[in-house]
Amino acid sequence: MNIVGILLITIAVLAGIDVVMYLVLSVADRHWEKRFEKEEDENDDSDERGI
């Protein structure tokens, strides 16, 4: 294989890793956002009761 082929494969692999990391981080961000909103709602309830 020549150097151009190796470079193209390397770029394709790095682009694939980038896409996978983007998907994983977006799912994790949604998960943490929902969890934070749930904890925030629980804290708001306790504040309204004066505890």
Side-chain angles (χ1 to χ4, degrees):
M1 246 182 142
N2 58 9
I3 190 73
V4 176
I6 293 171
L7 287 175
L8 288 175
I9 290 174
T10 303
I11 291 170
V13 168
L14 291 175
I17 291 171
D18 186 45
V19 169
V20 169
M21 288 300 292
Y22 175 78
L23 293 173
V24 168
L25 291 176
S26 65
V27 168
D29 184 45
R30 287 186 207 147
H31 173 74
W32 284 109
E33 188 175 303
K34 288 180 183 178
R35 188 171 183 180
F36 179 73
E37 288 175 359
K38 183 179 178 184
E39 289 176 0
E40 194 174 76
D41 290 342
E42 290 173 359
N43 291 339
D44 288 345
D45 292 343
S46 63
D47 290 341
E48 289 175 1
R49 287 182 259 165
I51 297 174

